[in-house]
């Protein structure tokens, strides 16, 4: 083709091309934000590969749950450690959710040893404190990628039905700290009631005092009800929803209570590693008592549409540099957006998707 025959660019198309480029870039950024395109970020990896057995409209993990409401009564004992209003206000309204660890919202209660509490405290200065707590005492690995590596390592081999020992070995070489969580899980007693479990925050936070002091802290909810572990026989005999029936019955009879206990770190304690518990003799402060006074189905009890993101803390509490804590914010937001979108577009099952209108 000679130079004379070469097609020439008509400048009149320039504005059209610019507009098309802008529209294309916007469409791509929306698709990226919705998780439809893009690299395999940690969030997508967790929700795409690891937590894919969920039902539309339900949480991608801890799908089976029940809402609760109640009140947090501050003891005032933590007010000198943090300026957060919740530690000084006499009574703070509480809304929360009990759940089991399984992603399957219809799983039998005896299918997992993990029981959990999510909590949102709303103080009278309009500050909110959100948290999620598990009955496990610590996280298996020092980072979130380790959690994913553990899931892959322990996936049963299709030929033997058992985890591949070589893969498990490689995992423990990279994450030796995970041995104690695996051993703990194998021997820890299974809970027989939500009311009797101790719920642990696991990640560390920093309390900020009025004089500027920064105190690294972890906390747990210590039940007033004495613990009774389930024997394997009791587990085998247990009914499908025994934990949920039990908590409904207990709360109908009387409020169920937990003390909010702060564990204060000392210099040198591993603040940013959730796989390392601090020594049991570290100073503890009972910041107050949570009183659960009612429970309701998660479809209608007000907790369905809450993202109990633990990084949403009030002023007076700051985040530590724990990488698992940081990773969780994105993971929860992704799960929350996806399940609410499914409900909004009518893709959720009636059990979770329809609010009761009264
Ligand atoms: C990398 C690690 C983790 C991953 C991938 C993960 C994943 C998830 C996902 C996807 C949800 C559903 C969230 C929603 O839709 O609102 C969830 C809920 C939950 N997670 Fe995690 N999680 C992790 C670590 C932890 C840790 C360390 C704790 C304990 C302190 C925890 C406690 C909970 C609780 C209690 C719920 C249920 C919350 C509710 O009832 O709304 N998770 N998790």
């Amino acid at each position: 083709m000679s130079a004379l025959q070469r097609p020439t660019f008509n400048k009149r198309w320039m504005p059209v091309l610019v507009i098309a480029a802008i529209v294309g870039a916007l469409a791509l950024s929306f698709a990226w934000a919705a998780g439809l395109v893009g690299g395999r970020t940690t969030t997508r990896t967790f929700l795409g590969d690891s937590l894919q057995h969920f039902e539309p409209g339900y949480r991608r993990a801890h799908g089976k749950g029940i809402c609760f409401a109640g009140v947090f009564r501050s003891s005032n004992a933590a007010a000198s450690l943090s300026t957060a209003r919740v530690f000084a206000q006499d009574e703070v309204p509480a809304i929360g959710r009990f759940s089991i660890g399984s992603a399957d919202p219809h799983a039998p209660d005896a299918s997992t040893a993990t029981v959990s509490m999510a909590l949102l405290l709303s103080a009278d200065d309009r500050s909110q404190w959100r948290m999620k707590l598990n009955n496990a005492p610590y996280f298996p690995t020092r980072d979130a990628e380790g959690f994913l590596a553990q899931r892959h390592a322990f996936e049963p081999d299709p030929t033997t039905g058992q985890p591949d020992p070589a893969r498990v070995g490689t995992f423990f070489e990279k994450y030796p700290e995970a041995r104690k969580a695996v051993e703990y899980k194998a021997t820890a007693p299974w809970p027989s009631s939500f009311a009797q479990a101790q719920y642990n925050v696991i990640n560390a936070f920093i309390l900020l005092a009025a004089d500027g002091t920064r105190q690294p802290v972890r906390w747990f909810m210590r039940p007033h009800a004495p613990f009774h572990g389930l024997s394997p026989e009791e587990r085998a005999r247990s009914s499908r929803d025994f934990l949920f029936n039990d908590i409904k019955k207990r709360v109908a009879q009387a409020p169920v209570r937990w003390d909010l206990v702060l564990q204060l770190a000392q210099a040198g304690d591993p603040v940013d590693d959730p796989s390392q518990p601090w020594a049991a003799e570290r100073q503890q402060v009972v910041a107050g008592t949570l009183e659960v006074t009612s429970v309701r189905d998660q479809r209608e009890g007000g907790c369905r549409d809450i993202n109990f993101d633990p990084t949403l803390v009030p002023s007076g509490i700051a985040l530590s540099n724990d990488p698992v804590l940081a990773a969780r914010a994105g993971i929860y937001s992704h799960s929350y957006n996806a399940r609410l979108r499914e409900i909004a577009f009518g893709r959720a099952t009636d059990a979770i998707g329809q609010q009761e209108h009264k």
Side-chain angles (χ1 to χ4, degrees):
M1 193 188 288
S2 75
L4 286 174
Q5 289 170 309
R6 199 175 298 141
T8 51
F9 176 70
N10 188 335
K11 285 194 179 137
R12 276 185 310 168
W13 291 106
M14 195 58 163
V16 177
L17 285 177
V18 170
I19 291 168
I22 292 172
V23 170
L26 278 175
L28 258 179
S29 62
F30 280 124
W32 175 81
L36 302 174
V37 297
R40 299 201 63 74
T41 61
T42 302
T43 304
R44 287 196 72 213
T45 308
F46 277 115
L47 296 179
D49 297 346
S50 177
L51 300 170
Q52 63 192 183
H53 306 291
F54 55 81
E55 221 173 287
Y58 285 88
R59 283 158 167 80
R60 270 41 180 164
H62 304 254
K64 187 175 183 183
I66 188 167
C67 301
F68 69 74
V71 64
F72 174 71
R73 294 181 205 287
S74 164
S75 67
N76 232 17
S80 59
L81 293 166
S82 164
T83 55
R85 176 67 184 143
V86 281
F87 293 130
Q89 189 179 324
D90 289 344
E91 293 192 356
V92 181
I95 183 163
R97 184 170 176 269
F98 296 113
S99 62
I100 59 170
S102 169
D104 177 358
H106 313 294
D109 292 352
S111 61
T112 165
T114 302
V115 290
S116 312
M117 174 192 281
L119 186 63
L120 164 56
L121 300 177
S122 304
D124 57 12
D125 63 352
R126 302 172 79 93
S127 65
Q128 292 194 340
W129 188 11
R130 300 180 191 217
M131 62 183 91
K132 297 186 200 244
L133 310 110
N134 273 344
N135 62 333
Y138 35 76
F139 199 64
T141 55
R142 59 188 180 271
D143 57 29
E145 288 72 15
F147 175 73
L148 192 61
Q150 184 180 9
R151 291 180 87 106
H152 288 319
F154 281 85
E155 257 161 31
D157 184 309
T159 46
T160 63
Q162 295 296 320
D164 173 359
R167 261 196 300 169
V168 172
T170 312
F171 165 73
F172 280 133
E173 262 170 42
K174 188 159 181 210
Y175 291 100
E177 73 271 22
R179 282 192 188 278
K180 67 180 181 316
V182 172
E183 281 159 18
Y184 173 84
K185 212 172 165 188
T187 53
W190 287 49
S192 61
S193 168
F194 282 119
Q196 299 170 355
Q198 174 173 307
Y199 300 101
N200 308 295
V201 74
I202 297 177
N203 301 117
F205 293 76
I206 317 290
L207 297 184
L208 308 173
D211 65 2
T213 310
R214 297 169 63 88
Q215 171 62 57
V217 69
R218 287 177 178 149
W219 59 86
F220 55 90
M221 290 288 184
R222 186 170 59 202
H224 284 202
F227 184 80
H228 166 77
L230 271 191
S231 67
E233 298 73 43
E234 285 172 313
R235 229 157 72 203
R237 282 201 312 267
S238 65
S239 68
R240 182 179 191 82
D241 303 317
F242 75 95
L243 287 173
F244 290 86
N245 293 336
D246 171 80
I247 195 70
K248 285 180 197 160
K249 211 162 116 195
R250 282 174 189 263
V251 174
Q253 284 163 1
V256 180
R257 297 187 178 88
W258 286 261
D259 287 337
L260 168 50
V261 185
L262 305 171
Q263 189 193 25
L264 312 190
Q266 275 184 10
D269 282 343
V271 170
D272 299 333
D273 184 344
S275 68
Q276 301 302 326
W278 302 334
E281 58 273 14
R282 291 287 174 269
Q283 189 191 344
Q284 297 186 352
V285 175
V286 179
T289 302
L290 173 70
E291 197 172 284
V292 170
T293 50
S294 69
V295 287
R296 286 189 80 180
D297 186 280
Q298 56 178 341
R299 175 186 43 171
E300 61 197 36
C303 69
R304 186 195 68 177
D305 299 347
I306 298 179
N307 175 4
F308 292 95
D309 177 349
T311 64
L312 300 177
V313 285
S315 74
I317 303 178
L319 308 181
S320 67
N321 289 325
D322 179 336
V324 176
L325 186 56
R328 289 171 68 197
I331 292 162
Y332 294 147
S333 150
H334 199 108
S335 172
Y336 176 77
N337 289 338
R339 61 188 171 83
L340 258 65
R341 195 165 48 222
E342 287 152 5
I343 292 170
F345 284 107
R347 285 172 42 215
T349 61
D350 285 353
I352 192 79
Q354 281 178 4
Q355 297 271 22
E356 221 175 68
H357 297 288
K358 292 189 174 160

